[in-house]
Amino acid sequence: MLRKSTVIATAVTALLMGAALPAAASPAPHGAARQVTAEPSVVDVTAANYEQVMRMSATRPVVLNFTASWCHWCQKMKPYLQQYNTADNGSWVWARVDADANRAILQKYGVRGLPTLINVQNGQEAGSRMVGYDGPQALRTWLNNL
């Protein structure tokens, strides 16, 4: 069962990251430590991988980060999201949604302003949204309440 889970996790990771799947590895000898591939903690969300990202929200919170390259406040918030995701050891998924390239996802969540952060758990919006950027401390507080 662990082998099957590892293969599935590797396939999901490859699909999300756009990489080719590695060749199947031979089973580890009895008693040997097995390496389990973890899901990524940073994902660029598109229409093609949206459902996979929603499935990831069954095991840990997904923060949908609606952003754009031209958005000043989005760019100010970005390094703090990276810093906090790293500090939290990937306990939540930073799911970046390019607002210009993914209009259907924006409409699905009724996003009207950038940046917008939405906490998704078990495939559904959970808790509060964070709209705009009020500084790193407000962001940290919001993330602590996931």
Side-chain angles (χ1 to χ4, degrees), residues 63-84 94-100 106 111-118 130-136 139:
V63 174
L64 290 176
N65 172 210
F66 292 90
T67 186
S69 60
W70 50 262
C71 170
H72 172 77
W73 293 111
C74 299
Q75 300 310 312
K76 295 286 263 184
M77 181 172 25
K78 185 177 180 176
Y80 292 103
L81 282 166
Q82 179 64 54
Q83 176 186 344
Y84 298 149
W94 178 21
R96 302 178 294 207
V97 182
D98 183 322
D100 294 322
L106 247 66
V111 173
R112 296 183 178 261
L114 299 179
T116 295
L117 300 178
I118 299 176
M130 181 177 210
V131 180
Y133 178 61
D134 291 330
L139 176 60

Side-chain angles (χ1 to χ4, degrees), residues 26 45 86 97 122:
S26 60
V45 180
T86 301
V97 182
N122 296 315

Side-chain angles (χ1 to χ4, degrees), residues 5-143:
S5 297
T6 302
V7 171
I8 291 170
T10 302
V12 169
T13 301
L15 287 172
L16 292 174
M17 302 306 286
L21 288 173
S26 60
H30 181 71
R34 294 178 187 241
Q35 181 178 4
V36 178
T37 305
E39 292 178 326
S41 63
V42 180
V43 177
D44 290 316
V45 180
T46 64
N49 69 359
Y50 173 79
E51 290 300 323
Q52 294 162 331
V53 173
M54 290 301 102
R55 284 192 293 273
M56 292 170 71
S57 73
T59 57
R60 59 186 168 153
V62 169
V63 174
L64 290 176
N65 172 210
F66 292 90
T67 186
S69 60
W70 50 262
C71 170
H72 172 77
W73 293 111
C74 299
Q75 300 310 312
K76 295 286 263 184
M77 181 172 25
K78 185 177 180 176
Y80 292 103
L81 282 166
Q82 179 64 54
Q83 176 186 344
Y84 298 149
N85 185 264
T86 301
D88 294 344
N89 295 315
S91 63
W92 49 275
V93 177
W94 178 21
R96 302 178 294 207
V97 182
D98 183 322
D100 294 322
N102 297 287
R103 294 282 183 190
I105 300 173
L106 247 66
Q107 291 174 349
K108 177 179 178 66
Y109 287 93
V111 173
R112 296 183 178 261
L114 299 179
T116 295
L117 300 178
I118 299 176
N119 174 15
V120 176
Q121 296 181 27
N122 296 315
Q124 298 181 27
E125 185 171 346
S128 66
R129 292 180 174 206
M130 181 177 210
V131 180
Y133 178 61
D134 291 330
Q137 186 56 48
L139 176 60
R140 178 78 261 182
T141 300
W142 187 84
L143 290 169

